[in-house]
Amino acid sequence: AGPVGETLPTPLVVKVLTQSQEPAGGVEVAFELSDPTAGNVDPTTSTTDTEGQAVANWTLGTVPGSYVVVARLGGEEGVDKIAEFHAEARPAAPDTLSPQTPLAQPGRREQNVDNPPQVRVVDRFGNPVPDVPVAWQVTAGEGTVTSPITTTDAEGKTGVDWVLGNRIGVHKLTAAIERATGSPITFTAYVLF
């Protein structure tokens, strides 16, 4: 398992043996991706060394999911001499925080805003990132939120209920995550009476 767009820390290694279970050197092994979105394998064809081992590195694609690389003996048409490698591509680190609800809206004193603030966290490839803590802070208007920290769901989204304070004017709430484009986001509510 590893983050999308990155090379797996452990290379793919197959060992080819002769019928007498001795290492077979100089044998070509082809590494084939089961799906074009699985990333890339380098090299796609490797020759076994004196220990009978062929090695390749797998860089995962940019879409999270489960993927397979199949290793086959070269020149062995119709012979089912294969090994399968499985990898789970996870979203990369949080990269961008974006609002999912209006940034500005009218409000009433000591009432919930009509559109509870919601944000979304994605990685550098635009994949939603789950389980990211988002910090919420009222910066103007003395209002309250349901929780100072919420965690993103499977779609990379999270939000809070925002109760405005007992004052006329501009009320502000920020949502922030560490080291991300767009962070912090400021939501504003205008209370006129």
Side-chain angles (χ1 to χ4, degrees):
V4 290
E6 294 189 18
T7 302
L8 291 172
T10 307
L12 310 180
V13 181
V14 293
K15 187 167 189 174
V16 179
L17 301 173
T18 64
Q19 286 186 345
S20 58
Q21 301 302 303
E22 296 296 320
V27 176
E28 275 197 1
V29 176
F31 292 91
E32 303 166 358
L33 295 164
S34 62
D35 181 323
T37 62
N40 62 63
V41 178
D42 182 39
T44 54
T45 302
S46 178
T47 303
T48 57
D49 60 17
T50 55
E51 301 291 315
Q53 292 186 344
V55 180
N57 289 303
W58 185 359
T59 301
L60 297 172
T62 59
V63 178
S66 298
Y67 298 101
V68 178
V69 166
V70 176
R72 300 181 192 277
L73 291 179
E76 296 285 332
E77 289 294 319
V79 180
D80 195 25
K81 296 185 180 178
I82 62 171
E84 282 189 3
F85 296 91
H86 297 260
E88 185 71 29
R90 297 186 303 256
D95 181 76
T96 305
L97 180 69
S98 61
Q100 298 296 294
T101 51
L103 290 175
Q105 59 184 307
R108 293 181 304 283
R109 289 185 289 174
E110 299 184 311
Q111 299 291 313
N112 275 311
V113 292
D114 289 339
N115 293 300
Q118 187 181 60
V119 295
R120 185 170 190 238
V121 179
V122 297
D123 66 15
R124 62 191 169 115
F125 302 107
N127 300 307
V129 184
D131 303 320
V132 176
V134 175
W136 300 89
Q137 184 176 5
V138 174
T139 58
E142 300 173 357
T144 59
V145 290
T146 45
S147 177
I149 296 177
T150 60
T151 305
T152 56
D153 62 15
E155 295 179 353
K157 294 179 182 180
T158 188
V160 290
D161 287 330
W162 179 20
V163 178
L164 300 176
N166 187 19
R167 57 181 1 182
I168 293 172
V170 177
H171 295 245
K172 291 183 183 277
L173 171 68
T174 61
I177 62 173
E178 290 186 14
R179 296 181 299 278
T181 302
S183 178
I185 292 171
T186 300
F187 294 92
T188 305
Y190 299 97
V191 176
L192 302 178
F193 53 86

